[in-house]
């Protein structure tokens, strides 16, 4: 099943950006045939900080064995397969082994950068961390406090991932932070990541305002991209605002 990654130049740049970001933010990386794994022992419950990334692989049995061996110290197994054809071929084996599959869309901005948009607020960690704790507590009401704290504080590791790592937000009229997102810029490529609107502020245009502000800020980048769940509605929101599909990747999670 081994194959070369055959994708467009833009998708290649977007994937390479993500691989570099993952390596730079991780205290520890382990190379494996066709990919690598990243680890952060400070946040053992964080899937995004402890995962296996593959773009080429052997037969399904070998891939599953590699995941078990490399991620043996983790309570979870998260495997990203950044080749659509390979990920689709591996899905039956991962599913049979108890993994939940997901398909992700890598989307590039194709429109004209917005002009004259109000700048989003620059959020420092002191401002952002209480918001993240509250959002994770709302999402995981039964999770231990230690888990919520780890999920919030792992944002600190992102600061090492790119030349520019910015946390941005917009506020509701009452002053509460309504929507937030990350912006990463490195070597001419920009990624918009972790766009989130608090449930009580959804449907009021905050995400749109934030996205347009981020696009204006990233206007000088040669490529602006984001990753969306292929099965969830935000992909349609991004498409309405100028993003088009570059390609698909796959992820497999077992908890």
């Amino acid at each position: 099943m081994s194959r070369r990654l055959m994708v467009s130049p833009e998708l290649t740049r977007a994937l390479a950006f993500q691989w570099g970001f993952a390596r730079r933010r991780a205290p520890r990386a382990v190379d494996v045939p066709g990919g690598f794994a990243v680890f952060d022992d400070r946040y053992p419950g964080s899937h995004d900080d402890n995962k296996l990334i593959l773009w080429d692989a052997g037969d399904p049995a070998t891939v599953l064995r590699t995941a078990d061996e490399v991620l043996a110290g983790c309570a979870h197994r998260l495997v990203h397969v950044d080749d659509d054809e390979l990920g689709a071929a591996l899905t039956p084996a991962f599913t049979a082994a108890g993994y939940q599959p997901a398909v992700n869309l890598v989307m590039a901005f194709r429109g004209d950068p917005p002009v004259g948009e109000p700048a989003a607020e620059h959020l420092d960690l002191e401002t952002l961390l209480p918001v993240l704790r509250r959002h994770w507590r709302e999402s995981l009401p039964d999770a231990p406090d230690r888990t919520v704290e780890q999920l919030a504080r792992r944002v600190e590791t992102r600061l090492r991932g790119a030349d520019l790592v910015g946390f941005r937000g917009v506020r509701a009229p009452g002053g509460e932070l309504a929507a937030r997102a990350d912006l990463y810029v490195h070597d001419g490529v920009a990624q918009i990541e972790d766009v989130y609107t608090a449930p009580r502020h959804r449907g009021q245009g905050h995400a749109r305002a934030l996205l347009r502000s981020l696009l204006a800020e990233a206007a000088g980048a040669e490529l602006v991209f984001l990753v969306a769940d292929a099965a969830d509605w935000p992909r349609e929101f991004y498409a309405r605002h100028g993003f088009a599909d570059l390609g698909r990747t796959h992820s497999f999670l077992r908890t």
Side-chain angles (χ1 to χ4, degrees):
M1 190 179 295
S2 179
R3 69 196 69 202
R4 293 175 58 197
L5 189 66
M6 300 295 291
V7 296
S8 70
E10 282 187 310
L11 181 56
T12 297
R13 289 195 75 182
L15 294 176
F17 180 99
Q18 292 186 291
W19 300 337
F21 191 95
R23 282 188 179 274
R24 286 187 292 269
R25 70 183 283 196
R28 182 164 58 96
V30 176
D31 290 316
V32 302
F36 64 96
V38 291
F39 301 96
D40 194 328
D41 297 334
R42 297 168 299 176
Y43 309 109
S46 171
H47 299 165
D48 195 42
D49 289 280
N50 301 273
K51 61 188 178 184
L52 175 62
I53 299 170
L54 298 172
W55 53 82
D56 198 355
D59 62 273
T62 299
V63 176
L64 290 168
R65 184 168 59 251
T66 298
D68 281 338
E69 291 174 354
V70 175
L71 301 175
C74 303
H76 65 272
R77 301 282 187 274
L78 175 59
V79 181
H80 286 290
V81 179
D82 286 339
D83 177 271
D84 187 20
E85 188 177 349
L86 176 61
L90 289 171
T91 296
F94 271 105
T95 303
Y99 286 78
Q100 290 210 323
V103 179
N104 311 298
L105 295 178
V106 182
M107 307 179 73
F109 182 63
R110 299 300 195 202
D112 295 323
V115 177
E117 293 296 316
E121 181 179 348
H122 290 216
L123 305 174
D124 58 22
L125 289 176
E126 184 178 358
T127 302
L128 182 60
L129 282 171
V131 175
L132 292 175
R133 291 186 187 104
R134 184 172 68 252
H135 289 170
W136 279 112
R137 175 52 67 200
E138 291 170 351
S139 299
L140 302 171
D142 299 323
D145 289 343
R146 182 178 65 178
T147 299
V148 170
E149 184 65 16
Q150 286 184 3
L151 290 171
R153 295 207 72 93
R154 68 179 184 171
V155 72
E156 297 171 333
T157 71
R158 299 176 190 171
L159 293 169
R160 298 192 300 271
D163 290 335
L164 168 67
V165 175
F167 309 120
R168 305 290 187 254
V170 296
R171 295 186 181 272
E176 184 178 11
L177 194 66
R180 57 174 171 81
D182 296 358
L183 176 65
Y184 314 139
V185 183
H186 195 89
D187 288 343
V189 178
Q191 180 182 8
I192 295 171
E193 175 66 11
D194 203 23
V195 180
Y196 180 84
T197 305
R200 57 189 163 276
H201 296 300
R202 290 174 184 168
Q204 300 171 42
H206 298 300
R208 177 184 180 277
L210 178 57
L211 182 62
R212 289 183 61 82
S213 175
L214 293 173
L215 290 170
E217 184 175 354
E222 299 162 12
L223 170 66
V224 180
F225 79 98
L226 53 77
V227 180
D229 186 336
D232 207 355
W233 65 266
R235 72 188 190 284
E236 300 170 357
F237 168 79
Y238 297 130
R240 291 197 302 271
H241 290 86
F243 284 84
D245 294 357
L246 280 181
R248 308 196 320 169
T249 65
H250 296 252
S251 61
F252 305 94
L253 174 65
R254 191 176 74 196
T255 58

